Amino acid sequence: MTTVLLSIPDNASARVRHGAELITQALAACGLEGQLSGPWSIDSYRAADAPKIVLGDRTATPLIAELEEHEVLLYHSAVPQGEGYYLASVPGALTVVSGGSDSGVLYGCQELAARIKLAGALPEDLAFGDGPAMKLRGPVVPLQKTKIEPPRRTYEYPITPGRFPWFYDRGLWTEFLDQMLEDRCNVLYIWTGHPFSSLMRLDDYPEAMEVTEEEFRLNVETFHWLANACDRRGIWLVLKFYNIHIPLPFARHHGLDLHQPKPLPLTSDYYIQSISTFIRRFPNVGLMVCLGEALQGAIYGVEWFNETILAGVNEGLKDLPDKELPPIIVRAHAIPSDKVMAEALPRYANLFTEAKYNGESLTTYTPRGRWQDIHQHLASLGSIHLFNVHILANLEPFRYGAPSFIQKCVQAAKYRLHTNGIHLYPLFYWDWPYTADDTSPRLRQMDRDWIWFAAWFRYAWNPDHHPELERRYWIERLKERYGSAEAAEAILDAYEQAGECAPKLLRRFGITEGNRQTMSLGMTMSQLTNPDKYRPWKELWEAQAPQGERLDEYVARELAGQPHIGETPIDIADDVDRHAAAAERAIQAASAQVTQGQAEYERIAADIRAIALMSRAYTHKVRAAVSILTYKARAAGDYTSHIELLREAEPQFRASLEAYRELTALTSETYLYANSMQTPSRKVPFPDGERYAHWTDCLPMYEEEYANFVRQIAALGEGRLPQQVAEAAEPIRPYRSATFALLSPHAETYTVEPQAVIFKDSDIIVSNVAEELVGLEGIRFSHEQASKDGVSVAFEVQEPVRVLVGYFNSGHPQWLKVPDLETNTHADDRGGLAPVLLNGLKVFFQPNVNVHAFRYEPGRHELDFGQGSYVILGVIRDDETLRVRDLEGAGSADTLDWLYEA
């Protein structure tokens, strides 16, 4: 057996040693023996009468430095720096793996090992250099679950074997980390709510631990092993946490809420001790910080990050030997990141920022508008900026493998957004490591979705591969799995065509790019024709989509004879029908060519069929919606006129339902559920992601919707107005007040009525008030304090109530903004996100006010919404009937919801 000698530095790191192992394994696969040898010099290496390999950091490996100095080793491409490397064959039967760092050496060894396997021998005449385009490249793994565990709240899951048995499975981790190294990832993000109470024991806060002693020891041992396994593969382990979340036993012990909106001396000291202890215990682990959501980041983000989090990091580093600083990543979510970073950069040298790419979906490779500006601004702050491919609420639960779409997205991230790293979610995040496929045993995402991970990370390393060469590359990868080039090419075509459907559908018709919507479960006709009722997220079409028209805008332009601009709803419906049909043809063409991997091929084929049926359920419904909106415009309140337009809509409406029935029948055999986050945060198509988690849950609602539509057409044809229209004219009754005790001395009560003064320090006076509100007991406070710093209002009730909060219709920073599920998962914990009275209050010389109703249980409560002024218009009984109406503009009858809703 031929021996190949390998020389590595005496003090080689775990990464370099792992690289040498990769080469040794590749040599063994070719019948060669890799044997470690001592260090050589430029004068001695020729004496070894065998093929030789030297590998090391070019600045720290004497032989490589000598070869460079004597111009025996020259670089025809960029000199290796950082994670870059260069492979060279030099005189004397010597192969050089020259790295810009230990990670560069590792990647060079990986490349050489692949070439040895391909050639069946140690290659000759090597002269190849490479390096990554992006600084950080890695996936997210969640220590979170699909359902909330009361009394804990969203994101709160202590780390235990019962909750996360896979976390302790070293075999699974080894497979995944090896896959990450193959994809040249250099970071693994672990996403949690509050991990410290599962990994830290603090002498000053013993009550903070949320796990048993046995679980604690197991967690620490597992985390140490994982951190070292990552480091060996050149991977930073980064642990993410939310602010300000505190452990349940700690919260109970100190009488605090689990989620704290602002810093307290107690919570700050607890976090400083937790973080400093964590840094000392796990020095090769970084941190990722989400300052938004629970924390009022606009007010306290700068203070909390700099005075607590970075203070804890620097405290922990004081006692450690000099080393590479762990990365600290600031998630740009619901906070003014520029202010946070301006103060933080002088305090810490290895900072990153991160922001979502297409929100919480995948919609376009041409992001624009405000979100593009945000990314470019963050990229200019002086730290490295990452893009986050988040949640994928419009792709789950199906497979996604459209490399050309992904490549264009990474190019857009680099060239349009100016980012320099990727933070990639798996396709079915909340149920990691499993997919939603109805199989036994469960499929693993790392296996099923290999192409999802491989494509994003391939292009994060180099986004500019030529498209034709890429097509050949992916055909070869798919051929390895399905046996023939013909099958591989057809499957790739099916992936590419199907990969266009969900992005185009959501960006043109969706309510949100966030995980408030499970797109694969469809949308109601009301959500298409009356989207304002569901608080649509305008960034979906203003920033996460190419220029185009929404349904109502399209119909208005059609009726006015105006030219259309950009994507129209009909353009998209036609495009998606074309993509879906092409995907079906391609996957069918592959059938006879598949010679291996048959079971997974059949699952891919079922996914392609499901995506096509889902797409047709949308496109038929969209065409029906165009006719219905045209009817609305032409009828102009005379609902018994232009009924022919409703009759024109009916066949398309029926075709949509028929496609959905087929989709339900198919997915009832292939999928356990559609949405990975099964919580009340899911609102579209139907509220509560646990109750409406599968197509079988939603089909009866769509059946009823269509039946109501057909029934109402018949009634209108007979000249009969539906009951909902008649009820719109019924008299309005005032809400019934509930008894409450106001506990805040800085606030006072007043009677809600015309001419009432609604703030203590301002002469802002009511000009008009909805009949429902007249006579209620409102609460007023300082407008100046609320607009500059925020105010808190404490009260106590003995029965369940709803607090009526008024938000001014203005984007001016002095006014409080309505919370939204796109940036705050807790926003709807008390209901009330949708207004009950639009323009329910008018005041002189100020914007109109929308009224929302938030539920509160008996007890003492504190309203603390953050910076911005607002009004409290009363406390009413929880069982009060709330009739949603708009006091200015379209009334409830004009929405046409009565056409489809019982």
Side-chain angles (χ1 to χ4, degrees), residues 41 50 97 144 205 282 294 301 313 353 407 628 643 801 865 868:
S41 68
V97 180
Q144 296 180 332
Y205 300 106
F282 304 107
V313 171
T353 55
Q407 181 179 16
I628 292 168
I643 303 172
V801 300
F865 300 133

Side-chain angles (χ1 to χ4, degrees), residues 7-11 39-43 54-70 73:
S7 174
I8 64 174
D10 291 335
N11 60 345
W40 301 308
S41 68
I42 196 168
D43 298 324
V54 61
L55 50 104
D57 181 335
R58 57 179 290 270
T59 63
T61 307
L63 175 56
I64 295 178
E66 287 182 293
L67 291 170
E68 288 184 10
E69 181 184 351
H70 288 81
L73 173 61

Side-chain angles (χ1 to χ4, degrees), residues 194 196-198 200-202 204-211 246-251 253-254 270 274:
H194 184 78
F196 304 115
S197 54
S198 298
M200 300 292 109
R201 184 196 291 110
L202 302 179
D204 290 349
Y205 300 106
E207 72 277 9
M209 261 187 61
E210 293 195 271
V211 296
I246 57 178
L248 178 63
F250 180 89
H253 183 84
H254 296 282
Y270 164 69
S274 294

